[in-house]
Amino acid sequence: MSSELQNDIGRYINYFRSEHKKLLHLEHCLHRKLLVVAMLSALAEGRYPNVRGDKDKFVKLIETYANWPGATSVSVPQLEMQIKEFCDTGPYGLSENFINGLSHRQARWHDRRNRGEIPRLGIDPKPEVILPEFPTKEEKQLVEDMKHSSLLYRYRCKLVHEFREPGHGFEFDERDKTPFYHSVMSIDSDSETIELVYPTQWFLDLPPPILDGLETHYIDTGTNPYDSYDFGSPWR
């Protein structure tokens, strides 16, 4: 590897590490989370310039480099809520076997929560556990969309395009290092939702392992990350 390439890789990675340190001093959780996902999108663009679609780039980055075992697990509460929305108009493409299986899993999930535990993502299953032996394309897509890596991208879009966090969950302690669930009761309808929470500190902990992994990748492959971006005076 040439010294020029080595310097470019170091400069690129150190730029993001330096910017990440600045995020730690921001006051508001929303601002910190927004800038973290902006950083992750920029890193995904650098790593996967030939992958089509921002979502595919983002999800691939998270699943490959975030060192997050829960990234490829499926959020059962989010899946259940999504299916309820589908049932209002369908549920097209969802088999009875699939829906019944999820209902049984959700009941067991509620039993665990009612024992006073704060449910963490470790209880969420992998897609192959959720899907029937011969899933429909709609079932496969729905489960794929309810993986945490995909949900994080959905979270990212709410932050970027709507300047807000999705859902009605709240953080008990912004220093919490792991995502969790908690229940929220609606006073008006006396209904309960199980809210998924990605805490602020957990967001802030995402970039360092990703940057470490990307640095190793660029060095091992002799790839210049700057080649993935357009530079110059014209705005492109």
Side-chain angles (χ1 to χ4, degrees), residues 166-181:
H168 299 290
F170 54 87
E171 300 181 40
F172 299 104
D173 186 343
E174 67 181 48
R175 296 169 297 180
D176 202 323
K177 291 180 174 291
T178 56
F180 60 91
Y181 296 96

Side-chain angles (χ1 to χ4, degrees), residues 71-111:
T72 54
S73 296
V74 179
S75 173
V76 172
Q78 287 289 325
L79 180 57
E80 183 190 42
M81 286 188 282
Q82 196 72 35
I83 287 178
K84 284 181 179 178
E85 287 193 10
F86 273 29
C87 286
D88 291 339
T89 57
Y92 301 112
L94 304 183
S95 65
E96 185 176 350
N97 182 36
F98 175 74
I99 294 175
N100 288 341
L102 180 63
S103 296
H104 291 312
R105 182 172 294 278
Q106 183 72 344
R108 294 196 300 271
W109 198 97
H110 276 282
D111 288 341

Side-chain angles (χ1 to χ4, degrees), residues 177-204:
K177 291 180 174 291
T178 56
F180 60 91
Y181 296 96
H182 71 83
S183 61
V184 173
M185 295 295 298
S186 172
I187 298 177
D188 296 333
S189 61
D190 197 31
S191 62
E192 179 188 35
T193 58
I194 306 300
E195 299 293 336
L196 171 61
V197 179
Y198 292 146
T200 303
Q201 185 59 53
W202 177 80
F203 263 87
L204 293 170

Side-chain angles (χ1 to χ4, degrees), residues 22-32 174 200:
K22 297 175 185 177
L23 305 185
L24 305 180
H25 302 290
L26 295 178
E27 180 179 354
H28 296 294
C29 297
L30 175 65
H31 299 165
R32 283 182 279 181
E174 67 181 48
T200 303

